[in-house]
Amino acid sequence: MIRSALVRSPAMNGAAAATRRNFATGPLEADSGKLATHIHHAMTTALIGLAPAYFLVPDSYTDGIFNKLFGVGLTATITAHSWIGLNYVATDYVPKVSKALLGPARIVNAGIAVVTFLGLSRIAVSSPGGIKGCVKGLWNPPKKE
């Protein structure tokens, strides 16, 4: 019985062994390892506190460079959070369709992250009021002149 516990189980294939490592083997594997999981959870916690605080602080406190820097930081956090999260989704569901599609799915996820970062960064830096102004504009009708 002890011997059977020491023998490697057939269920412990390469994929199962890969999930136990601490770091990803490639830059597109954003969901691999304990470090990615820790970063993802830390970003979730940061977004829970910082995003509502950013939107609830009066505009007079956040105008200017603070609004732009915080907007770009919020953009980076949202982008990285969604990139890691989408890689978790790809790892779970893409192999059910085809294991060969996991690599291309990770490339698509990276592309989505780049487009998200560039778009939200542009809004944060060049739009009036930054990200906060853009979100407020969704609920406030344009002023009639």
Side-chain angles (χ1 to χ4, degrees), residues 53-64 66-67 128-134 136 140:
Y54 173 64
F55 289 110
L56 293 175
V57 171
D59 290 339
S60 60
Y61 292 125
T62 60
D63 283 344
F66 176 79
N67 189 25
I131 292 176
K132 185 192 279 191
C134 184
K136 281 183 176 180
N140 297 332

Short mmCIF file of all heavy atoms in Angstrom, two decimals, residues 53-64 66-67 128-134 136 140:
data_model
loop_
_atom_site.label_atom_id
_atom_site.label_comp_id
_atom_site.label_asym_id
_atom_site.label_seq_id
_atom_site.Cartn_x
_atom_site.Cartn_y
_atom_site.Cartn_z
N ALA A 53 -13.44 54.28 -5.10
CA ALA A 53 -12.89 55.49 -4.47
C ALA A 53 -12.58 56.55 -5.52
O ALA A 53 -12.88 57.74 -5.32
CB ALA A 53 -11.63 55.14 -3.68
N TYR A 54 -12.01 56.13 -6.64
CA TYR A 54 -11.67 57.05 -7.72
C TYR A 54 -12.92 57.75 -8.26
O TYR A 54 -12.91 58.94 -8.52
CB TYR A 54 -10.95 56.28 -8.83
CG TYR A 54 -10.67 57.06 -10.09
CD1 TYR A 54 -9.83 58.15 -10.09
CD2 TYR A 54 -11.27 56.70 -11.28
CE1 TYR A 54 -9.57 58.85 -11.24
CE2 TYR A 54 -11.02 57.39 -12.45
CZ TYR A 54 -10.17 58.47 -12.43
OH TYR A 54 -9.92 59.16 -13.58
N PHE A 55 -14.00 56.98 -8.44
CA PHE A 55 -15.20 57.57 -9.01
C PHE A 55 -16.01 58.37 -8.00
O PHE A 55 -16.81 59.23 -8.39
CB PHE A 55 -16.08 56.47 -9.63
CG PHE A 55 -15.50 55.90 -10.88
CD1 PHE A 55 -15.00 54.61 -10.90
CD2 PHE A 55 -15.41 56.66 -12.03
CE1 PHE A 55 -14.43 54.09 -12.06
CE2 PHE A 55 -14.85 56.15 -13.19
CZ PHE A 55 -14.36 54.86 -13.20
N LEU A 56 -15.83 58.14 -6.71
CA LEU A 56 -16.58 58.87 -5.69
C LEU A 56 -15.89 60.15 -5.21
O LEU A 56 -16.55 61.02 -4.64
CB LEU A 56 -16.87 57.96 -4.50
CG LEU A 56 -17.83 56.81 -4.78
CD1 LEU A 56 -17.93 55.89 -3.56
CD2 LEU A 56 -19.20 57.32 -5.18
N VAL A 57 -14.60 60.27 -5.44
CA VAL A 57 -13.87 61.48 -5.03
C VAL A 57 -14.32 62.64 -5.91
O VAL A 57 -14.46 62.49 -7.13
CB VAL A 57 -12.34 61.25 -5.15
CG1 VAL A 57 -11.58 62.53 -4.95
CG2 VAL A 57 -11.90 60.20 -4.16
N PRO A 58 -14.56 63.81 -5.34
CA PRO A 58 -15.00 64.96 -6.14
C PRO A 58 -13.98 65.32 -7.24
O PRO A 58 -12.77 65.13 -7.07
CB PRO A 58 -15.10 66.09 -5.13
CG PRO A 58 -15.25 65.43 -3.81
CD PRO A 58 -14.52 64.12 -3.92
N ASP A 59 -14.50 65.85 -8.34
CA ASP A 59 -13.65 66.19 -9.47
C ASP A 59 -12.57 67.22 -9.12
O ASP A 59 -11.48 67.20 -9.69
CB ASP A 59 -14.49 66.73 -10.63
CG ASP A 59 -15.34 65.66 -11.27
OD1 ASP A 59 -14.99 64.47 -11.11
OD2 ASP A 59 -16.33 66.00 -11.93
N SER A 60 -12.86 68.10 -8.19
CA SER A 60 -11.89 69.13 -7.83
C SER A 60 -10.60 68.53 -7.25
O SER A 60 -9.53 69.12 -7.37
CB SER A 60 -12.49 70.12 -6.85
OG SER A 60 -12.88 69.45 -5.66
N TYR A 61 -10.70 67.35 -6.66
CA TYR A 61 -9.51 66.69 -6.10
C TYR A 61 -8.74 65.89 -7.15
O TYR A 61 -7.57 65.61 -6.97
CB TYR A 61 -9.90 65.74 -4.96
CG TYR A 61 -10.42 66.43 -3.73
CD1 TYR A 61 -11.66 66.09 -3.21
CD2 TYR A 61 -9.68 67.41 -3.08
CE1 TYR A 61 -12.15 66.71 -2.10
CE2 TYR A 61 -10.17 68.04 -1.96
CZ TYR A 61 -11.39 67.69 -1.48
OH TYR A 61 -11.88 68.32 -0.35
N THR A 62 -9.42 65.49 -8.20
CA THR A 62 -8.77 64.59 -9.16
C THR A 62 -8.47 65.24 -10.50
O THR A 62 -8.05 64.56 -11.42
CB THR A 62 -9.65 63.35 -9.40
OG1 THR A 62 -10.92 63.76 -9.91
CG2 THR A 62 -9.82 62.54 -8.14
N ASP A 63 -8.71 66.52 -10.64
CA ASP A 63 -8.39 67.17 -11.91
C ASP A 63 -6.89 67.26 -12.11
O ASP A 63 -6.12 67.31 -11.15
CB ASP A 63 -9.00 68.58 -11.96
CG ASP A 63 -10.48 68.53 -12.23
OD1 ASP A 63 -10.96 67.48 -12.67
OD2 ASP A 63 -11.15 69.56 -12.00
N GLY A 64 -6.48 67.27 -13.35
CA GLY A 64 -5.07 67.47 -13.66
C GLY A 64 -4.29 66.18 -13.79
O GLY A 64 -4.79 65.15 -14.23
N PHE A 66 -3.06 64.15 -11.58
CA PHE A 66 -3.48 63.02 -10.73
C PHE A 66 -4.51 62.17 -11.46
O PHE A 66 -4.45 60.95 -11.44
CB PHE A 66 -4.05 63.52 -9.39
CG PHE A 66 -4.58 62.40 -8.54
CD1 PHE A 66 -3.71 61.61 -7.81
CD2 PHE A 66 -5.94 62.13 -8.49
CE1 PHE A 66 -4.20 60.57 -7.03
CE2 PHE A 66 -6.43 61.09 -7.72
CZ PHE A 66 -5.56 60.31 -6.98
N ASN A 67 -5.48 62.83 -12.10
CA ASN A 67 -6.52 62.11 -12.82
C ASN A 67 -5.91 61.28 -13.95
O ASN A 67 -6.29 60.13 -14.17
CB ASN A 67 -7.54 63.09 -13.37
CG ASN A 67 -8.76 62.40 -13.94
OD1 ASN A 67 -9.09 61.29 -13.56
ND2 ASN A 67 -9.42 63.07 -14.85
N PRO A 128 -11.55 64.76 -21.96
CA PRO A 128 -11.85 65.68 -20.87
C PRO A 128 -12.39 64.92 -19.66
O PRO A 128 -13.37 64.19 -19.77
CB PRO A 128 -12.91 66.62 -21.43
CG PRO A 128 -13.00 66.33 -22.89
CD PRO A 128 -12.33 65.03 -23.14
N GLY A 129 -11.75 65.04 -18.54
CA GLY A 129 -12.16 64.35 -17.33
C GLY A 129 -11.62 62.93 -17.22
O GLY A 129 -11.85 62.26 -16.23
N GLY A 130 -10.90 62.45 -18.23
CA GLY A 130 -10.30 61.12 -18.19
C GLY A 130 -11.36 60.02 -18.17
O GLY A 130 -12.45 60.17 -18.71
N ILE A 131 -11.02 58.93 -17.54
CA ILE A 131 -11.94 57.79 -17.47
C ILE A 131 -13.18 58.17 -16.66
O ILE A 131 -14.30 57.80 -17.02
CB ILE A 131 -11.23 56.57 -16.85
CG1 ILE A 131 -10.16 56.07 -17.82
CG2 ILE A 131 -12.22 55.46 -16.55
CD1 ILE A 131 -9.34 54.93 -17.31
N LYS A 132 -12.99 58.94 -15.60
CA LYS A 132 -14.11 59.37 -14.77
C LYS A 132 -15.08 60.21 -15.60
O LYS A 132 -16.29 60.01 -15.54
CB LYS A 132 -13.61 60.17 -13.57
CG LYS A 132 -14.71 60.54 -12.60
CD LYS A 132 -14.26 61.56 -11.60
CE LYS A 132 -13.51 60.95 -10.47
NZ LYS A 132 -13.28 61.89 -9.37
N GLY A 133 -14.57 61.12 -16.39
CA GLY A 133 -15.42 61.95 -17.25
C GLY A 133 -16.14 61.13 -18.30
O GLY A 133 -17.31 61.40 -18.62
N CYS A 134 -15.48 60.11 -18.83
CA CYS A 134 -16.11 59.25 -19.83
C CYS A 134 -17.25 58.44 -19.22
O CYS A 134 -18.33 58.33 -19.80
CB CYS A 134 -15.05 58.32 -20.42
SG CYS A 134 -15.66 57.28 -21.73
N LYS A 136 -18.94 59.24 -16.47
CA LYS A 136 -20.00 60.19 -16.12
C LYS A 136 -20.81 60.58 -17.35
O LYS A 136 -22.01 60.80 -17.28
CB LYS A 136 -19.41 61.44 -15.48
CG LYS A 136 -19.03 61.27 -14.05
CD LYS A 136 -18.54 62.60 -13.52
CE LYS A 136 -18.24 62.51 -12.05
NZ LYS A 136 -17.77 63.81 -11.53
N ASN A 140 -24.91 61.34 -18.00
CA ASN A 140 -25.28 62.75 -18.13
C ASN A 140 -25.51 63.09 -19.59
O ASN A 140 -24.62 62.88 -20.42
CB ASN A 140 -24.18 63.66 -17.57
CG ASN A 140 -23.97 63.45 -16.09
OD1 ASN A 140 -24.88 63.06 -15.38
ND2 ASN A 140 -22.75 63.70 -15.63
#
